[in-house]
Amino acid sequence: MTNAPTNKTKPKSLLSLVTQRLRQSDMAQLLLLFFAVITIGIIATWPDNPQLANNSWAALAQSKLALLIFFATLFGALLRTSGEKLITLIALSCFHLFTLPLDTATYAASFPEVNFIWALTLPLIALLSYFMLGYFVSSILHRLHLPLLAIPCALALPIAAVFADIYLGRNIFNSFNSIIEASLPYIVINLLIGVIGLLFLLRGLKKETSASNQKAELT
C-alpha cells in the first residue's frame, strides 16, 4: 500500500516572506531612494568647519520621517490583503533599522537635546501610525465606493497633521516637530492608532488564513 501524494507545501517563515518582499523591485527601488536621500542630506548639512554647529542628525531624522511616512500612507492605502499589508509594514520598518548606524553617528556628532531612545523609536511609531491611517482611510473610501480618493486622501494626512498643530499651537500630531522635541501626547495618540490598526490587521489576516485553509481542503 502506497501513500497518496499530497500537494501541501510547507508555509514560508515570516523572515523569508519579509526578505522576499524587500527583494521585490518596488521595495528595492524605494530602499535605494531612501538611502540616496538620507546620504545627500547628511553630506549637505555636515559642516566643513568642526567649530560650527553640526545639525546633520536633525536633517537625517526629518528626511527619514518624511520618506517613511510617505511610504507608509501609500502602501497602507494601496495594498488590499492583510497579509500583504503586514509583510510590507515589517519590510518598511527594516528601512529604519538599516540606517541605525547613520542615526547613531549623526546623533553623536550633533548632540541634540532629544533623548536617543526617543530618536530611535519615534520613526517606528510614526511608520506604524500612518500605515494604519492609510489603511483606515482606504477601507472607508472603498466602502463608500470612492476608491480613487483613497490614495490622495491618505497622503494628505501628514500635511493635515502639520496644520492641525499650527492651529492648536501644540505639538500633538506633527511628526517632524516631535522628532526633535519630545511630545507625550504625540506618542500616546499615535501608539493608540497603531495598536488599534494592528489588531484590525491581525483579525483580517486570521480570516484570510482561515479562508485559504478551507479552500485548500476543498481542492
Side-chain angles (χ1 to χ4, degrees), residues 43-78:
I43 294 173
T45 55
W46 197 275
D48 296 330
N49 188 340
Q51 294 182 349
L52 296 176
N54 191 326
N55 296 318
S56 58
W57 178 81
L60 167 67
Q62 293 186 335
S63 61
K64 274 185 63 172
L65 263 180
L67 290 172
L68 287 174
I69 287 173
F70 174 74
F71 298 157
T73 51
L74 178 63
F75 282 112
L78 187 62

PDB file of all heavy atoms in Angstrom, residues 43-78:
ATOM      1  N   ILE A  43      25.423  64.740   3.817  1.00  0.00           N
ATOM      2  CA  ILE A  43      26.548  65.435   3.171  1.00  0.00           C
ATOM      3  C   ILE A  43      26.287  66.935   3.096  1.00  0.00           C
ATOM      4  O   ILE A  43      27.186  67.756   3.343  1.00  0.00           O
ATOM      5  CB  ILE A  43      26.790  64.864   1.756  1.00  0.00           C
ATOM      6  CG1 ILE A  43      27.275  63.410   1.861  1.00  0.00           C
ATOM      7  CG2 ILE A  43      27.810  65.702   0.990  1.00  0.00           C
ATOM      8  CD1 ILE A  43      27.373  62.709   0.524  1.00  0.00           C
ATOM      9  N   ALA A  44      25.038  67.299   2.786  1.00  0.00           N
ATOM     10  CA  ALA A  44      24.708  68.716   2.621  1.00  0.00           C
ATOM     11  C   ALA A  44      24.740  69.484   3.941  1.00  0.00           C
ATOM     12  O   ALA A  44      25.019  70.687   3.952  1.00  0.00           O
ATOM     13  CB  ALA A  44      23.336  68.851   1.961  1.00  0.00           C
ATOM     14  N   THR A  45      24.454  68.808   5.044  1.00  0.00           N
ATOM     15  CA  THR A  45      24.356  69.515   6.333  1.00  0.00           C
ATOM     16  C   THR A  45      25.580  69.318   7.218  1.00  0.00           C
ATOM     17  O   THR A  45      25.671  69.951   8.273  1.00  0.00           O
ATOM     18  CB  THR A  45      23.113  69.034   7.111  1.00  0.00           C
ATOM     19  OG1 THR A  45      23.160  67.609   7.260  1.00  0.00           O
ATOM     20  CG2 THR A  45      21.841  69.417   6.370  1.00  0.00           C
ATOM     21  N   TRP A  46      26.491  68.456   6.810  1.00  0.00           N
ATOM     22  CA  TRP A  46      27.682  68.234   7.638  1.00  0.00           C
ATOM     23  C   TRP A  46      28.618  69.436   7.503  1.00  0.00           C
ATOM     24  O   TRP A  46      29.025  69.790   6.405  1.00  0.00           O
ATOM     25  CB  TRP A  46      28.401  66.972   7.207  1.00  0.00           C
ATOM     26  CG  TRP A  46      29.372  66.477   8.245  1.00  0.00           C
ATOM     27  CD1 TRP A  46      30.658  66.886   8.414  1.00  0.00           C
ATOM     28  CD2 TRP A  46      29.121  65.502   9.252  1.00  0.00           C
ATOM     29  NE1 TRP A  46      31.235  66.231   9.467  1.00  0.00           N
ATOM     30  CE2 TRP A  46      30.310  65.368  10.013  1.00  0.00           C
ATOM     31  CE3 TRP A  46      28.002  64.736   9.607  1.00  0.00           C
ATOM     32  CZ2 TRP A  46      30.410  64.494  11.083  1.00  0.00           C
ATOM     33  CZ3 TRP A  46      28.105  63.865  10.679  1.00  0.00           C
ATOM     34  CH2 TRP A  46      29.291  63.748  11.400  1.00  0.00           C
ATOM     35  N   PRO A  47      28.965  70.115   8.582  1.00  0.00           N
ATOM     36  CA  PRO A  47      29.763  71.352   8.488  1.00  0.00           C
ATOM     37  C   PRO A  47      31.211  71.074   8.070  1.00  0.00           C
ATOM     38  O   PRO A  47      31.814  70.073   8.478  1.00  0.00           O
ATOM     39  CB  PRO A  47      29.703  71.912   9.907  1.00  0.00           C
ATOM     40  CG  PRO A  47      29.465  70.716  10.777  1.00  0.00           C
ATOM     41  CD  PRO A  47      28.619  69.779   9.974  1.00  0.00           C
ATOM     42  N   ASP A  48      31.750  71.974   7.239  1.00  0.00           N
ATOM     43  CA  ASP A  48      33.149  71.861   6.828  1.00  0.00           C
ATOM     44  C   ASP A  48      34.091  72.211   7.981  1.00  0.00           C
ATOM     45  O   ASP A  48      35.177  71.654   8.112  1.00  0.00           O
ATOM     46  CB  ASP A  48      33.426  72.783   5.637  1.00  0.00           C
ATOM     47  CG  ASP A  48      32.622  72.367   4.409  1.00  0.00           C
ATOM     48  OD1 ASP A  48      32.347  71.164   4.280  1.00  0.00           O
ATOM     49  OD2 ASP A  48      32.272  73.243   3.597  1.00  0.00           O
ATOM     50  N   ASN A  49      33.639  73.149   8.799  1.00  0.00           N
ATOM     51  CA  ASN A  49      34.449  73.594   9.933  1.00  0.00           C
ATOM     52  C   ASN A  49      33.988  72.865  11.196  1.00  0.00           C
ATOM     53  O   ASN A  49      32.821  72.955  11.588  1.00  0.00           O
ATOM     54  CB  ASN A  49      34.301  75.108  10.113  1.00  0.00           C
ATOM     55  CG  ASN A  49      35.262  75.674  11.140  1.00  0.00           C
ATOM     56  OD1 ASN A  49      35.781  74.956  11.984  1.00  0.00           O
ATOM     57  ND2 ASN A  49      35.508  76.978  11.069  1.00  0.00           N
ATOM     58  N   PRO A  50      34.858  72.137  11.878  1.00  0.00           N
ATOM     59  CA  PRO A  50      34.445  71.404  13.084  1.00  0.00           C
ATOM     60  C   PRO A  50      33.980  72.305  14.225  1.00  0.00           C
ATOM     61  O   PRO A  50      33.354  71.823  15.170  1.00  0.00           O
ATOM     62  CB  PRO A  50      35.715  70.626  13.471  1.00  0.00           C
ATOM     63  CG  PRO A  50      36.831  71.343  12.805  1.00  0.00           C
ATOM     64  CD  PRO A  50      36.273  71.931  11.552  1.00  0.00           C
ATOM     65  N   GLN A  51      34.277  73.597  14.150  1.00  0.00           N
ATOM     66  CA  GLN A  51      33.848  74.514  15.198  1.00  0.00           C
ATOM     67  C   GLN A  51      32.395  74.957  15.018  1.00  0.00           C
ATOM     68  O   GLN A  51      31.795  75.505  15.944  1.00  0.00           O
ATOM     69  CB  GLN A  51      34.765  75.740  15.216  1.00  0.00           C
ATOM     70  CG  GLN A  51      36.209  75.416  15.616  1.00  0.00           C
ATOM     71  CD  GLN A  51      37.078  76.650  15.677  1.00  0.00           C
ATOM     72  OE1 GLN A  51      36.681  77.720  15.227  1.00  0.00           O
ATOM     73  NE2 GLN A  51      38.282  76.514  16.248  1.00  0.00           N
ATOM     74  N   LEU A  52      31.830  74.700  13.834  1.00  0.00           N
ATOM     75  CA  LEU A  52      30.439  75.074  13.580  1.00  0.00           C
ATOM     76  C   LEU A  52      29.501  74.012  14.133  1.00  0.00           C
ATOM     77  O   LEU A  52      29.865  72.855  14.297  1.00  0.00           O
ATOM     78  CB  LEU A  52      30.209  75.228  12.071  1.00  0.00           C
ATOM     79  CG  LEU A  52      30.989  76.342  11.363  1.00  0.00           C
ATOM     80  CD1 LEU A  52      30.725  76.304   9.859  1.00  0.00           C
ATOM     81  CD2 LEU A  52      30.615  77.709  11.930  1.00  0.00           C
ATOM     82  N   ALA A  53      28.281  74.438  14.442  1.00  0.00           N
ATOM     83  CA  ALA A  53      27.279  73.509  14.972  1.00  0.00           C
ATOM     84  C   ALA A  53      26.934  72.463  13.917  1.00  0.00           C
ATOM     85  O   ALA A  53      26.767  72.782  12.739  1.00  0.00           O
ATOM     86  CB  ALA A  53      26.029  74.272  15.377  1.00  0.00           C
ATOM     87  N   ASN A  54      26.832  71.230  14.357  1.00  0.00           N
ATOM     88  CA  ASN A  54      26.501  70.125  13.454  1.00  0.00           C
ATOM     89  C   ASN A  54      25.023  69.793  13.605  1.00  0.00           C
ATOM     90  O   ASN A  54      24.586  69.316  14.643  1.00  0.00           O
ATOM     91  CB  ASN A  54      27.372  68.913  13.803  1.00  0.00           C
ATOM     92  CG  ASN A  54      27.274  67.816  12.751  1.00  0.00           C
ATOM     93  OD1 ASN A  54      26.233  67.618  12.147  1.00  0.00           O
ATOM     94  ND2 ASN A  54      28.367  67.097  12.557  1.00  0.00           N
ATOM     95  N   ASN A  55      24.252  70.040  12.549  1.00  0.00           N
ATOM     96  CA  ASN A  55      22.811  69.768  12.563  1.00  0.00           C
ATOM     97  C   ASN A  55      22.459  68.593  11.649  1.00  0.00           C
ATOM     98  O   ASN A  55      21.317  68.480  11.189  1.00  0.00           O
ATOM     99  CB  ASN A  55      22.035  71.013  12.125  1.00  0.00           C
ATOM    100  CG  ASN A  55      22.214  72.167  13.090  1.00  0.00           C
ATOM    101  OD1 ASN A  55      22.188  71.979  14.310  1.00  0.00           O
ATOM    102  ND2 ASN A  55      22.397  73.367  12.561  1.00  0.00           N
ATOM    103  N   SER A  56      23.424  67.730  11.404  1.00  0.00           N
ATOM    104  CA  SER A  56      23.197  66.634  10.453  1.00  0.00           C
ATOM    105  C   SER A  56      22.141  65.653  10.949  1.00  0.00           C
ATOM    106  O   SER A  56      21.384  65.095  10.160  1.00  0.00           O
ATOM    107  CB  SER A  56      24.508  65.895  10.168  1.00  0.00           C
ATOM    108  OG  SER A  56      25.068  65.390  11.371  1.00  0.00           O
ATOM    109  N   TRP A  57      22.074  65.446  12.291  1.00  0.00           N
ATOM    110  CA  TRP A  57      21.083  64.492  12.783  1.00  0.00           C
ATOM    111  C   TRP A  57      19.658  64.975  12.539  1.00  0.00           C
ATOM    112  O   TRP A  57      18.793  64.188  12.159  1.00  0.00           O
ATOM    113  CB  TRP A  57      21.274  64.234  14.279  1.00  0.00           C
ATOM    114  CG  TRP A  57      20.214  63.297  14.780  1.00  0.00           C
ATOM    115  CD1 TRP A  57      20.191  61.936  14.674  1.00  0.00           C
ATOM    116  CD2 TRP A  57      18.975  63.668  15.405  1.00  0.00           C
ATOM    117  NE1 TRP A  57      19.023  61.435  15.200  1.00  0.00           N
ATOM    118  CE2 TRP A  57      18.272  62.478  15.656  1.00  0.00           C
ATOM    119  CE3 TRP A  57      18.419  64.890  15.781  1.00  0.00           C
ATOM    120  CZ2 TRP A  57      17.021  62.472  16.278  1.00  0.00           C
ATOM    121  CZ3 TRP A  57      17.174  64.895  16.386  1.00  0.00           C
ATOM    122  CH2 TRP A  57      16.487  63.692  16.634  1.00  0.00           C
ATOM    123  N   ALA A  58      19.396  66.246  12.771  1.00  0.00           N
ATOM    124  CA  ALA A  58      18.046  66.781  12.554  1.00  0.00           C
ATOM    125  C   ALA A  58      17.639  66.626  11.093  1.00  0.00           C
ATOM    126  O   ALA A  58      16.497  66.248  10.790  1.00  0.00           O
ATOM    127  CB  ALA A  58      17.986  68.244  12.974  1.00  0.00           C
ATOM    128  N   ALA A  59      18.561  66.902  10.181  1.00  0.00           N
ATOM    129  CA  ALA A  59      18.268  66.744   8.752  1.00  0.00           C
ATOM    130  C   ALA A  59      18.003  65.284   8.421  1.00  0.00           C
ATOM    131  O   ALA A  59      17.074  64.954   7.669  1.00  0.00           O
ATOM    132  CB  ALA A  59      19.420  67.276   7.917  1.00  0.00           C
ATOM    133  N   LEU A  60      18.823  64.391   8.980  1.00  0.00           N
ATOM    134  CA  LEU A  60      18.635  62.961   8.750  1.00  0.00           C
ATOM    135  C   LEU A  60      17.296  62.493   9.304  1.00  0.00           C
ATOM    136  O   LEU A  60      16.532  61.793   8.619  1.00  0.00           O
ATOM    137  CB  LEU A  60      19.780  62.185   9.411  1.00  0.00           C
ATOM    138  CG  LEU A  60      19.602  60.668   9.542  1.00  0.00           C
ATOM    139  CD1 LEU A  60      19.605  60.026   8.162  1.00  0.00           C
ATOM    140  CD2 LEU A  60      20.678  60.063  10.411  1.00  0.00           C
ATOM    141  N   ALA A  61      17.002  62.862  10.549  1.00  0.00           N
ATOM    142  CA  ALA A  61      15.785  62.395  11.205  1.00  0.00           C
ATOM    143  C   ALA A  61      14.530  62.861  10.472  1.00  0.00           C
ATOM    144  O   ALA A  61      13.594  62.076  10.269  1.00  0.00           O
ATOM    145  CB  ALA A  61      15.758  62.893  12.649  1.00  0.00           C
ATOM    146  N   GLN A  62      14.499  64.118  10.056  1.00  0.00           N
ATOM    147  CA  GLN A  62      13.292  64.645   9.402  1.00  0.00           C
ATOM    148  C   GLN A  62      13.138  64.129   7.977  1.00  0.00           C
ATOM    149  O   GLN A  62      12.020  63.889   7.524  1.00  0.00           O
ATOM    150  CB  GLN A  62      13.310  66.168   9.444  1.00  0.00           C
ATOM    151  CG  GLN A  62      13.167  66.713  10.864  1.00  0.00           C
ATOM    152  CD  GLN A  62      13.029  68.219  10.909  1.00  0.00           C
ATOM    153  OE1 GLN A  62      13.461  68.916  10.017  1.00  0.00           O
ATOM    154  NE2 GLN A  62      12.440  68.726  11.975  1.00  0.00           N
ATOM    155  N   SER A  63      14.250  63.955   7.266  1.00  0.00           N
ATOM    156  CA  SER A  63      14.148  63.388   5.915  1.00  0.00           C
ATOM    157  C   SER A  63      13.712  61.926   5.977  1.00  0.00           C
ATOM    158  O   SER A  63      12.912  61.464   5.164  1.00  0.00           O
ATOM    159  CB  SER A  63      15.485  63.515   5.179  1.00  0.00           C
ATOM    160  OG  SER A  63      16.521  62.821   5.853  1.00  0.00           O
ATOM    161  N   LYS A  64      14.218  61.195   6.959  1.00  0.00           N
ATOM    162  CA  LYS A  64      13.786  59.811   7.147  1.00  0.00           C
ATOM    163  C   LYS A  64      12.297  59.744   7.453  1.00  0.00           C
ATOM    164  O   LYS A  64      11.565  58.913   6.904  1.00  0.00           O
ATOM    165  CB  LYS A  64      14.574  59.162   8.296  1.00  0.00           C
ATOM    166  CG  LYS A  64      15.896  58.569   7.904  1.00  0.00           C
ATOM    167  CD  LYS A  64      16.547  57.850   9.076  1.00  0.00           C
ATOM    168  CE  LYS A  64      15.718  56.688   9.553  1.00  0.00           C
ATOM    169  NZ  LYS A  64      16.431  55.870  10.562  1.00  0.00           N
ATOM    170  N   LEU A  65      11.859  60.609   8.350  1.00  0.00           N
ATOM    171  CA  LEU A  65      10.443  60.623   8.715  1.00  0.00           C
ATOM    172  C   LEU A  65       9.562  60.921   7.512  1.00  0.00           C
ATOM    173  O   LEU A  65       8.531  60.275   7.311  1.00  0.00           O
ATOM    174  CB  LEU A  65      10.198  61.671   9.803  1.00  0.00           C
ATOM    175  CG  LEU A  65      10.154  61.191  11.250  1.00  0.00           C
ATOM    176  CD1 LEU A  65       9.895  62.352  12.176  1.00  0.00           C
ATOM    177  CD2 LEU A  65       9.107  60.116  11.430  1.00  0.00           C
ATOM    178  N   ALA A  66       9.954  61.911   6.720  1.00  0.00           N
ATOM    179  CA  ALA A  66       9.155  62.286   5.552  1.00  0.00           C
ATOM    180  C   ALA A  66       8.996  61.103   4.601  1.00  0.00           C
ATOM    181  O   ALA A  66       7.889  60.819   4.118  1.00  0.00           O
ATOM    182  CB  ALA A  66       9.804  63.464   4.828  1.00  0.00           C
ATOM    183  N   LEU A  67      10.094  60.392   4.354  1.00  0.00           N
ATOM    184  CA  LEU A  67      10.036  59.251   3.436  1.00  0.00           C
ATOM    185  C   LEU A  67       9.259  58.086   4.046  1.00  0.00           C
ATOM    186  O   LEU A  67       8.428  57.464   3.375  1.00  0.00           O
ATOM    187  CB  LEU A  67      11.456  58.808   3.086  1.00  0.00           C
ATOM    188  CG  LEU A  67      12.244  59.772   2.197  1.00  0.00           C
ATOM    189  CD1 LEU A  67      13.696  59.331   2.082  1.00  0.00           C
ATOM    190  CD2 LEU A  67      11.616  59.848   0.800  1.00  0.00           C
ATOM    191  N   LEU A  68       9.514  57.781   5.312  1.00  0.00           N
ATOM    192  CA  LEU A  68       8.816  56.667   5.949  1.00  0.00           C
ATOM    193  C   LEU A  68       7.312  56.909   6.020  1.00  0.00           C
ATOM    194  O   LEU A  68       6.509  55.996   5.775  1.00  0.00           O
ATOM    195  CB  LEU A  68       9.370  56.433   7.356  1.00  0.00           C
ATOM    196  CG  LEU A  68      10.760  55.802   7.454  1.00  0.00           C
ATOM    197  CD1 LEU A  68      11.231  55.775   8.899  1.00  0.00           C
ATOM    198  CD2 LEU A  68      10.771  54.405   6.869  1.00  0.00           C
ATOM    199  N   ILE A  69       6.924  58.132   6.345  1.00  0.00           N
ATOM    200  CA  ILE A  69       5.500  58.456   6.416  1.00  0.00           C
ATOM    201  C   ILE A  69       4.861  58.381   5.034  1.00  0.00           C
ATOM    202  O   ILE A  69       3.739  57.874   4.877  1.00  0.00           O
ATOM    203  CB  ILE A  69       5.308  59.853   7.049  1.00  0.00           C
ATOM    204  CG1 ILE A  69       5.604  59.789   8.547  1.00  0.00           C
ATOM    205  CG2 ILE A  69       3.897  60.381   6.809  1.00  0.00           C
ATOM    206  CD1 ILE A  69       5.609  61.133   9.232  1.00  0.00           C
ATOM    207  N   PHE A  70       5.567  58.871   4.022  1.00  0.00           N
ATOM    208  CA  PHE A  70       5.033  58.799   2.652  1.00  0.00           C
ATOM    209  C   PHE A  70       4.848  57.349   2.229  1.00  0.00           C
ATOM    210  O   PHE A  70       3.787  56.967   1.716  1.00  0.00           O
ATOM    211  CB  PHE A  70       5.982  59.516   1.690  1.00  0.00           C
ATOM    212  CG  PHE A  70       5.597  59.380   0.243  1.00  0.00           C
ATOM    213  CD1 PHE A  70       4.525  60.088  -0.275  1.00  0.00           C
ATOM    214  CD2 PHE A  70       6.295  58.518  -0.594  1.00  0.00           C
ATOM    215  CE1 PHE A  70       4.153  59.952  -1.612  1.00  0.00           C
ATOM    216  CE2 PHE A  70       5.938  58.377  -1.930  1.00  0.00           C
ATOM    217  CZ  PHE A  70       4.859  59.095  -2.436  1.00  0.00           C
ATOM    218  N   PHE A  71       5.867  56.526   2.430  1.00  0.00           N
ATOM    219  CA  PHE A  71       5.772  55.113   2.059  1.00  0.00           C
ATOM    220  C   PHE A  71       4.662  54.413   2.847  1.00  0.00           C
ATOM    221  O   PHE A  71       3.918  53.591   2.297  1.00  0.00           O
ATOM    222  CB  PHE A  71       7.104  54.392   2.317  1.00  0.00           C
ATOM    223  CG  PHE A  71       8.263  54.908   1.510  1.00  0.00           C
ATOM    224  CD1 PHE A  71       9.565  54.715   1.944  1.00  0.00           C
ATOM    225  CD2 PHE A  71       8.067  55.596   0.319  1.00  0.00           C
ATOM    226  CE1 PHE A  71      10.641  55.181   1.201  1.00  0.00           C
ATOM    227  CE2 PHE A  71       9.136  56.071  -0.428  1.00  0.00           C
ATOM    228  CZ  PHE A  71      10.433  55.864   0.020  1.00  0.00           C
ATOM    229  N   ALA A  72       4.561  54.734   4.133  1.00  0.00           N
ATOM    230  CA  ALA A  72       3.578  54.073   4.989  1.00  0.00           C
ATOM    231  C   ALA A  72       2.149  54.381   4.555  1.00  0.00           C
ATOM    232  O   ALA A  72       1.324  53.472   4.410  1.00  0.00           O
ATOM    233  CB  ALA A  72       3.785  54.501   6.446  1.00  0.00           C
ATOM    234  N   THR A  73       1.844  55.652   4.359  1.00  0.00           N
ATOM    235  CA  THR A  73       0.482  56.012   3.957  1.00  0.00           C
ATOM    236  C   THR A  73       0.154  55.477   2.564  1.00  0.00           C
ATOM    237  O   THR A  73      -0.969  55.037   2.309  1.00  0.00           O
ATOM    238  CB  THR A  73       0.300  57.544   3.972  1.00  0.00           C
ATOM    239  OG1 THR A  73       1.345  58.164   3.231  1.00  0.00           O
ATOM    240  CG2 THR A  73       0.301  58.082   5.377  1.00  0.00           C
ATOM    241  N   LEU A  74       1.151  55.477   1.680  1.00  0.00           N
ATOM    242  CA  LEU A  74       0.931  54.981   0.319  1.00  0.00           C
ATOM    243  C   LEU A  74       0.589  53.495   0.329  1.00  0.00           C
ATOM    244  O   LEU A  74      -0.435  53.079  -0.227  1.00  0.00           O
ATOM    245  CB  LEU A  74       2.169  55.241  -0.528  1.00  0.00           C
ATOM    246  CG  LEU A  74       2.108  54.736  -1.973  1.00  0.00           C
ATOM    247  CD1 LEU A  74       1.015  55.449  -2.748  1.00  0.00           C
ATOM    248  CD2 LEU A  74       3.457  54.905  -2.663  1.00  0.00           C
ATOM    249  N   PHE A  75       1.438  52.690   0.958  1.00  0.00           N
ATOM    250  CA  PHE A  75       1.201  51.248   0.956  1.00  0.00           C
ATOM    251  C   PHE A  75       0.018  50.869   1.838  1.00  0.00           C
ATOM    252  O   PHE A  75      -0.689  49.896   1.554  1.00  0.00           O
ATOM    253  CB  PHE A  75       2.461  50.501   1.409  1.00  0.00           C
ATOM    254  CG  PHE A  75       3.512  50.395   0.346  1.00  0.00           C
ATOM    255  CD1 PHE A  75       4.711  51.077   0.461  1.00  0.00           C
ATOM    256  CD2 PHE A  75       3.308  49.613  -0.775  1.00  0.00           C
ATOM    257  CE1 PHE A  75       5.681  50.983  -0.516  1.00  0.00           C
ATOM    258  CE2 PHE A  75       4.271  49.506  -1.767  1.00  0.00           C
ATOM    259  CZ  PHE A  75       5.465  50.197  -1.642  1.00  0.00           C
ATOM    260  N   GLY A  76      -0.201  51.618   2.919  1.00  0.00           N
ATOM    261  CA  GLY A  76      -1.359  51.344   3.754  1.00  0.00           C
ATOM    262  C   GLY A  76      -2.662  51.518   3.005  1.00  0.00           C
ATOM    263  O   GLY A  76      -3.627  50.781   3.222  1.00  0.00           O
ATOM    264  N   ALA A  77      -2.694  52.485   2.102  1.00  0.00           N
ATOM    265  CA  ALA A  77      -3.899  52.738   1.315  1.00  0.00           C
ATOM    266  C   ALA A  77      -3.957  51.885   0.056  1.00  0.00           C
ATOM    267  O   ALA A  77      -5.039  51.566  -0.438  1.00  0.00           O
ATOM    268  CB  ALA A  77      -3.958  54.213   0.930  1.00  0.00           C
ATOM    269  N   LEU A  78      -2.799  51.500  -0.458  1.00  0.00           N
ATOM    270  CA  LEU A  78      -2.740  50.839  -1.761  1.00  0.00           C
ATOM    271  C   LEU A  78      -3.004  49.347  -1.682  1.00  0.00           C
ATOM    272  O   LEU A  78      -3.757  48.788  -2.493  1.00  0.00           O
ATOM    273  CB  LEU A  78      -1.364  51.094  -2.392  1.00  0.00           C
ATOM    274  CG  LEU A  78      -1.146  50.636  -3.831  1.00  0.00           C
ATOM    275  CD1 LEU A  78      -2.093  51.363  -4.771  1.00  0.00           C
ATOM    276  CD2 LEU A  78       0.300  50.865  -4.232  1.00  0.00           C
TER     277      LEU A  78
END
